[in-house]
Amino acid sequence: MEKLSKHAVKLLNSKIGVKNLLANKEIDLKKVLNRTRYEQELGQLQAKLVRLQTWVIENDKKIVIIFEGRDAAGKGGAIRRITEHINPRHFKIIALDKPSTDEEHQWFFQRYVNHLPKPGQMVFFDRSWYNRAIVEPVNGFCTDAEYQIFMSQVNGFEKMLIQSDIYLIKFYFSINKDEQARRFEEIENSPLKRWKLTAVDKRAQELWDDYTKYKDAMFESTNTELAPWTIIEANRKTKARIAAINHILRTIPYEK
């Protein structure tokens, strides 16, 4: 094995490093170092997120962050790391189930408007109105007319949000087909995670190309200058989480 640098030794002797060294019977120093670097960087970024939230609260700011991506892309895990240490009284995580009968007859965006942030609040959408751009048409949950109406309205809707002093960030977590299959297998084999697999998830692999077609159409129509998409390469969950947090910190002018 190569000689460890002073920095690597320091990392291994840190509280996080020792914890990771003791986590497994068989020690893989490379994995331990990578995990320790990740947890250390994550902790530093989470401290900045606390400062960002303080700025949001003190200045009555409103933030909406939406997380889109294929099933098992790591959206929920990223949201958990982002919100892990911020004040729970000043943020909401929204993961809407299928619409009720009343909601089906409302303006499509109305159920999302009801969850928009109050001044001093951050809202994280674990899937958002963009369900109608990809998941619904792929799985036959909406008509073509409903899809077309949504696509004609969504940019105007987001423009109204931004003009109402809402900071809007749109993430798309991107994974490849093999990684999705691997994650599905891992979820299915875990008694603690098996509940996550839905009927829609189980069809995701066979409908991969359909999802791709609608995803590309979504990007082409809704990647606007005012409300652009940020694509997060998510085959490695740790890198994806760090990238998402860094983007939030760069985008929201909390230090000014």
Side-chain angles (χ1 to χ4, degrees):
M1 191 184 77
E2 294 183 13
K3 186 178 179 182
L4 293 174
S5 66
K6 289 183 179 179
H7 179 65
V9 172
K10 187 177 179 181
L11 273 177
L12 292 173
N13 283 319
S14 68
K15 186 176 180 180
I16 298 172
V18 171
K19 181 200 75 172
N20 288 328
L21 277 171
L22 298 175
N24 297 291
K25 291 180 180 179
E26 294 184 10
I27 296 174
D28 183 328
L29 281 181
K30 185 177 179 181
K31 286 185 178 180
V32 170
L33 283 168
N34 286 339
R35 184 70 193 180
T36 303
R37 289 189 186 102
Y38 160 68
E39 290 184 14
Q40 189 177 72
E41 184 176 7
L42 178 64
Q44 292 167 352
L45 293 176
Q46 287 173 328
K48 292 181 179 180
L49 286 170
V50 172
R51 296 207 297 273
L52 183 151
Q53 188 194 41
T54 300
W55 173 82
V56 170
I57 297 167
E58 291 178 350
N59 294 279
D60 285 337
K61 300 298 182 181
K62 296 170 288 186
I63 296 176
V64 169
I65 305 177
I66 66 178
F67 292 76
E68 292 292 338
R70 295 181 190 266
D71 299 312
K75 302 178 292 295
I79 294 172
R80 284 193 295 276
R81 272 60 178 194
I82 291 167
T83 60
E84 189 172 8
H85 296 292
I86 61 176
N87 189 332
R89 293 191 295 275
H90 294 277
F91 77 82
K92 294 189 298 182
I93 299 172
I94 306 299
L96 297 181
D97 203 349
K98 65 180 182 179
S100 66
T101 303
D102 286 343
E103 287 172 333
E104 286 178 349
H105 294 90
Q106 294 172 351
W107 178 46
F108 174 76
F109 292 99
Q110 186 168 333
R111 69 197 300 243
Y112 297 99
V113 169
N114 293 336
H115 295 285
L116 291 176
K118 301 173 183 176
Q121 192 175 56
M122 303 169 70
V123 173
F124 303 88
F125 282 98
D126 187 351
R127 292 204 181 278
S128 66
W129 44 87
Y130 281 103
N131 262 349
R132 180 140 294 183
I134 302 179
V135 175
E136 290 188 16
V138 167
N139 291 279
F141 297 155
C142 69
T143 66
D144 184 62
E146 289 170 331
Y147 167 77
Q148 296 297 341
I149 290 170
F150 168 82
M151 295 299 284
S152 71
Q153 292 181 345
V154 62
N155 290 340
F157 172 69
E158 292 176 354
K159 184 177 180 180
M160 286 190 288
L161 297 184
I162 294 165
Q163 289 178 335
S164 301
D165 295 325
I166 290 176
Y167 288 93
L168 175 63
I169 294 175
K170 303 191 307 191
F171 284 131
Y172 185 89
F173 279 58
S174 178
I175 57 174
N176 62 37
K177 191 174 183 180
D178 289 342
E179 178 61 15
Q180 186 187 56
R182 188 193 69 77
R183 292 184 188 183
F184 280 161
E185 184 178 3
E186 179 186 310
I187 292 169
E188 198 161 24
N189 291 333
S190 170
L192 301 178
K193 297 180 179 180
R194 200 172 295 143
W195 62 270
K196 293 182 178 182
L197 275 182
T198 67
V200 171
D201 295 334
K202 291 175 181 178
R203 298 183 66 213
Q205 287 272 294
E206 65 181 90
L207 295 173
W208 182 272
D209 292 340
D210 293 326
Y211 275 99
T212 300
K213 181 182 76 171
Y214 280 98
K215 177 198 72 174
D216 291 344
M218 178 186 76
F219 286 152
E220 185 176 347
S221 296
T222 66
N223 186 41
T224 64
E225 186 176 349
L226 194 62
W229 282 99
T230 297
I231 298 175
I232 301 292
E233 297 298 332
N235 282 335
R236 285 188 60 184
K237 292 180 180 180
T238 53
K239 281 192 171 183
R241 294 162 186 168
I242 296 296
I245 297 175
N246 271 320
H247 181 77
I248 294 169
L249 294 171
R250 285 194 305 266
T251 303
I252 308 299
Y254 71 103
E255 290 187 317
K256 297 179 183 179

